[in-house]
Amino acid sequence: MNFTNGLFFSKNSVFKLFLWIFIFCYPLKSVSMISDSLRPVKKEANFSRSFYLTFEYGTDKEYQGRSAGDKQAYFSPSLTYEAPSGFYTSFAADRLLSPYNSWDERDFTLGWTFKLSKRVDLFMSYTHMNFKDESVLLQSSLSNNLEAMLLRNSKYLTSRFYFDFSFGKGKTPNDYSLTFENSHDFVFENLFTKDNDALKIKPLVILRAGTLNFYKFHLKNPLERPSLRNLAVDVNTKFNFTGLELLLPVEYQIGRFSFEPAIHYSIPLNQPKIYYASPKTYFTGSISFFFI
């Protein structure tokens, strides 16, 4: 069965599948976890005060399981602050290194974490995105994103379920998406110190579904402004599976520093033929320094 060439599911069937996967993978026992480096989207609950700086590099960029085709290597610094109340905020800037070298995107996020139970946390956030006029990034037609994320820690799995509502420029219809993540952490503590370091291996599976209206104003030529001649697909796209991704991040924390290289294998689903639909591998790496 070829998912990349027009296999569509109804909105109800996609939602039911996500719900079934979430219930099926919902384990019963919990275990404490070491905090992740949060870049820039918050991934773990942290009800203590922290403030940290992260530098990230990647050999390519994706959005909703999509790539523009050409390699888009990037460098991204970000600052994140978290409060004991659950409030968090972050600022991130992306500098594309190819196909051109320029600051391309700036994101500002405000959010709040709610403790629903011993095992379950709810994250609510708003992100404002700003792109340069000639941006080649697929999501450059968007300027705002509202996200709700439900996280459950367990002995065997960490499950995350996201709902995103994105809206932006012009008359492009809004986009909404569902993302389901499952991971298991292998933690090795005090490898080189008595009580001040840890290694975490975090294999992760991500399944995405949603609409793809942001394609409408994607520019194939970075020197052109949005116009009818470079519209990629029709608006009001169907809600559908958009991608499957396999990740293998390895995080090492020592003192105030955190290092995390990762390998990504991305499989686009139901992608318009005008874009590259082949699975691909790319790499990311980050260094974080915790001031608090």
Side-chain angles (χ1 to χ4, degrees):
M1 184 176 295
N2 188 348
F3 285 95
T4 63
N5 292 314
L7 177 60
F8 288 100
F9 295 83
S10 70
K11 189 183 303 183
N12 288 337
S13 66
V14 173
F15 177 78
K16 288 178 181 178
L17 178 59
F18 270 98
L19 184 61
W20 182 86
I21 294 174
F22 188 70
I23 293 173
F24 180 77
C25 297
Y26 206 74
L28 300 176
K29 297 182 180 179
S30 64
V31 65
S32 61
M33 301 180 67
I34 299 174
S35 296
D36 272 322
S37 301
L38 316 174
R39 302 174 314 278
V41 179
K42 193 170 174 66
K43 305 283 282 186
E44 297 287 350
N46 180 16
F47 292 96
S48 59
R49 193 178 309 279
S50 63
F51 179 56
Y52 51 92
L53 172 67
T54 298
F55 295 97
E56 182 176 76
Y57 168 79
T59 61
D60 203 356
K61 287 186 74 69
E62 287 198 343
Y63 182 75
Q64 291 296 330
R66 295 297 190 267
S67 171
D70 297 329
K71 288 284 187 179
Q72 295 178 342
Y74 69 94
F75 165 74
S76 177
S78 64
L79 274 173
T80 302
Y81 171 76
E82 300 172 340
S85 62
F87 168 80
Y88 60 94
T89 183
S90 68
F91 174 79
D94 281 7
R95 185 178 184 90
L96 280 186
L97 305 177
S98 63
Y100 54 75
N101 193 323
S102 175
W103 291 104
D104 204 87
E105 178 183 358
R106 293 165 296 278
D107 298 339
F108 177 69
T109 299
L110 291 172
W112 208 283
T113 306
F114 302 91
K115 194 72 175 177
L116 301 184
S117 70
K118 183 179 179 180
R119 304 184 183 102
V120 181
D121 300 295
L122 174 66
F123 301 80
M124 304 288 291
S125 66
Y126 165 76
T127 298
H128 178 72
M129 301 164 284
N130 181 265
F131 300 88
K132 63 181 295 184
D133 290 341
E134 305 85 8
S135 176
V136 296
L137 297 179
L138 292 179
Q139 70 272 29
S140 59
S141 65
L142 302 175
S143 56
N144 303 280
N145 186 73
L146 294 172
E147 181 177 88
M149 189 265 278
L150 191 66
L151 177 147
R152 188 179 194 277
N153 284 325
S154 74
K155 183 176 181 179
Y156 304 105
L157 290 173
T158 298
S159 300
R160 301 178 182 90
F161 190 79
Y162 300 81
F163 172 76
D164 287 271
F165 176 72
S166 303
F167 52 102
K169 306 171 186 176
K171 298 181 180 179
T172 305
N174 303 324
D175 278 307
Y176 54 98
S177 63
L178 298 175
T179 304
F180 179 76
E181 297 182 3
N182 249 351
S183 64
H184 177 76
D185 294 359
F186 299 90
V187 180
F188 307 91
E189 296 181 295
N190 307 323
L191 295 177
F192 304 107
T193 67
K194 290 184 178 180
D195 59 357
N196 200 31
D197 74 320
L199 177 69
K200 185 193 292 186
I201 303 173
K202 308 178 291 185
L204 178 69
V205 178
I206 302 175
L207 179 64
R208 299 185 178 95
T211 59
L212 301 172
N213 297 317
F214 61 85
Y215 267 152
K216 180 176 172 63
F217 285 108
H218 170 56
L219 304 181
K220 297 188 66 180
N221 185 339
L223 300 180
E224 295 180 356
R225 293 290 193 272
S227 66
L228 291 176
R229 61 186 173 182
N230 56 36
L231 299 186
V233 295
D234 293 334
V235 298
N236 296 315
T237 58
K238 295 181 180 180
F239 189 93
N240 205 351
F241 288 107
T242 59
L244 176 68
E245 187 171 356
L246 307 177
L247 285 80
L248 184 60
V250 179
E251 181 181 11
Y252 178 67
Q253 297 179 342
I254 181 167
R256 293 179 178 269
F257 288 92
S258 174
F259 307 88
E260 185 175 316
I263 182 171
H264 306 243
Y265 182 68
S266 178
I267 305 171
L269 306 176
N270 299 300
Q271 181 153 297
K273 294 180 180 180
I274 192 171
Y275 291 103
Y276 293 81
S278 301
K280 67 174 182 176
T281 302
Y282 65 99
F283 301 89
T284 58
S286 68
I287 301 175
S288 298
F289 176 77
F290 290 78
F291 299 96
I292 303 176

